[in-house]
Amino acid sequence: MAANHLTPVLLVTANVGSIFEQPDRMLAFWVAEFLKTVKMLQPKFVALHCQEVGGKTYEGSVKHVEDFVRMLMASEELKSFDRMRVYLDEDYTNSERFTALGNFYFIHETIRTAQIWDFKTKAFLPCQGKEVHTGNIEEVSSKEKTKFPAEFFPEFKWSRKGYLRTRWNINGTIFDLVNIHLLHDASNLLAIESFPSVYSDYRHRALKHVLERLKNDDEDWDIVVPFYIFGDFNFRVDTHSVVKRLTAKTVPLHIQSNKNGEVSKIIYTEQANENRVILTVGKKEFNHHDQHDGLFYSNSGKWVSFWPYL
């Protein structure tokens, strides 16, 4: 398109699980900050990709999710966006398909052409009015949603991870928007064993799966469509090397669980310094006892070299 016809676009991704677990403290605040950003940047097309919608226990957060949608759609900042599409994967009873992903799209009244792809008919349809698709959205054909296969997860234990895709034609420009949620590091004890970790390998497989799916679609339909993937990639630093550096002068003590005999915690101590505890690593624990905040918050830049994706 000519430069004077460029459309300002705002792409936002957020893992919103915590705002539904602490709605009284975080829900209204988060929405206000998002709307403040929209007002400041003045985009004409807004895409908001959310992960972990509803938090860890979706069944207990249904009302809060409804409030979240209502607050966005009724806001003054989005009043001039006369076309909206919302896709919320809410069917938590369907463990084989549930992803807890949520895609929100807002199209400004000044946008001349707004079309959305129908994955069933393989054709663009006019995007008109405001539609909110919630609950079981498997049959909604204007989106493509996939939960990653069980073999993409450690020990075949399914997690709410997958992707949710839409395709758009905005003022003559066609593109795909993909909301993705990759596997997190479920256990620090496993993550520190090697690099790449087992979790890195699973994330790599899942992302490759999505990229190949997009590529195959282009070949099947004899078109090449640019895409933007934005979501929660759950990328991590090289935890194995971080621990190795932090514990160079220590001795590890492996604590076994009384229940199954497996290692539940590793405590690194300096024997030359009266066995002072330096670092404790557990399944959900990572604690540098001397200066945790100073190391990982105040001086986070020192760990850039351990970030393998730069």
Side-chain angles (χ1 to χ4, degrees), residues 40 53 90 103 115 199 207 291 306:
M40 177 181 65
V53 177
E90 295 184 308
N103 291 15
Q115 298 177 323
Y199 301 113
L207 181 57
Q291 45 183 328
F306 293 88

Side-chain angles (χ1 to χ4, degrees), residues 188 192 239 242-243 246 279-289 292 296:
N188 289 324
I192 68 174
T239 315
V242 169
V243 170
L246 292 174
L279 180 70
T280 299
V281 179
K283 182 178 181 179
K284 299 292 185 182
E285 179 182 5
F286 195 97
N287 183 22
H288 192 280
H289 292 268
H292 188 92
F296 300 114

Side-chain angles (χ1 to χ4, degrees), residues 164-271:
L164 180 57
R165 170 169 67 140
T166 55
R167 172 168 292 178
W168 296 89
N169 177 1
I170 300 297
N171 285 342
T173 298
I174 298 173
F175 54 91
D176 283 1
L177 299 178
V178 184
N179 184 3
I180 194 170
H181 195 184
L182 298 180
L183 186 72
H184 63 288
D185 285 8
S187 170
N188 289 324
L189 294 170
L190 279 178
I192 68 174
E193 287 183 353
S194 62
F195 183 81
S197 72
V198 61
Y199 301 113
S200 295
D201 289 338
Y202 282 109
R203 284 191 286 270
H204 178 265
R205 289 180 61 189
L207 181 57
K208 183 179 179 182
H209 172 78
V210 175
L211 294 175
E212 288 178 346
R213 177 60 182 267
L214 297 173
K215 179 177 180 293
N216 291 337
D217 278 355
D218 284 350
E219 293 175 353
D220 291 343
W221 300 338
D222 197 28
I223 56 175
V224 177
V225 177
F227 57 84
Y228 299 86
I229 301 179
F230 54 109
D232 186 352
F233 290 84
N234 266 314
F235 287 163
R236 299 290 194 270
V237 297
D238 177 359
T239 315
H240 172 76
S241 296
V242 169
V243 170
K244 190 174 180 180
R245 174 171 174 175
L246 292 174
T247 61
K249 298 180 180 180
T250 70
V251 175
L253 173 63
H254 294 75
I255 307 299
Q256 294 181 316
S257 169
N258 293 327
K259 293 182 179 180
N260 54 26
E262 295 180 356
V263 174
S264 62
K265 186 178 295 188
I266 304 176
I267 301 174
Y268 297 87
T269 62
E270 286 185 341
Q271 288 185 327

